[in-house]
Amino acid sequence: TPDELGETTITVYNGCKIVNTGTTELSMKGNIRVEDNATLVNASVTGSGYFGGDSVTVNANVNGSMLIKDNAVFAPVAEENKSDNQIHMEGNARFLAASRATANAIKMSGNSVFSGTNANSTIDIDLRDNAEILGKTSGSGTLVMEESASIEADTTVIGAITLSGNYKGNKVKT
């Protein structure tokens, strides 16, 4: 009910859902816009967000801004003291990381997938096309992946790196 959401501003369109399936209190602050077939489930949000298209956001801990649209999925397990600032996802992108550190900015589009781990890092990550991160990333700087590039092993990023053209990182690298 509006009373339960406190000072939260929520705009709801076309049968979207905000569902608290857990036993903890639904804690949302700022502006949240959920529309079309989007679903927000059991999430603590501070800041603002947009969840549109057929997107699904499940058990996520968001602190900052987030835009999820089209068929994008942001579904990590919520973790204590972890926050996601500036996440932008569209197309069929899927962020499925089970564990992550505080992330500065994550931008995903196309059919990109992040199911690895972002550990102890301040990396800005930009995944495009069919890029995949399946291993652990750490370090600081900017990592751009495009054209089916993939990381399957632990990778430390220092500076600005672009991986493209079917690059396959299957060995530990810095």
Side-chain angles (χ1 to χ4, degrees), residues 8-90:
T8 301
T9 302
I10 296 180
T11 305
V12 176
Y13 296 95
N14 299 330
C16 67
K17 300 175 186 177
I18 296 176
V19 180
N20 182 9
T21 60
T23 58
T24 59
E25 178 182 346
L26 182 63
S27 176
M28 304 171 89
K29 297 178 182 177
N31 298 310
I32 299 161
R33 178 178 163 177
V34 183
E35 66 179 43
D36 298 325
N37 296 316
T39 304
L40 177 66
V41 179
N42 198 24
S44 175
V45 178
T46 301
S48 62
Y50 165 86
F51 310 91
D54 295 321
S55 66
V56 177
T57 302
V58 179
N59 204 19
N61 183 17
V62 179
N63 179 5
S65 61
M66 176 178 276
L67 176 124
I68 300 175
K69 66 180 189 174
D70 304 326
N71 294 316
V73 174
F74 182 81
V77 174
E79 297 179 273
E80 290 292 322
N81 301 317
K82 304 295 184 200
S83 62
D84 302 295
N85 305 312
Q86 304 181 8
I87 291 178
H88 179 122
M89 297 178 63
E90 58 186 60

Side-chain angles (χ1 to χ4, degrees), residues 4 11 21 55 68 72 84 104 111 114 129 131 142:
E4 293 171 329
T11 305
T21 60
S55 66
I68 300 175
D84 302 295
N104 281 350
N111 294 312
F114 189 130
D129 308 321
T142 302

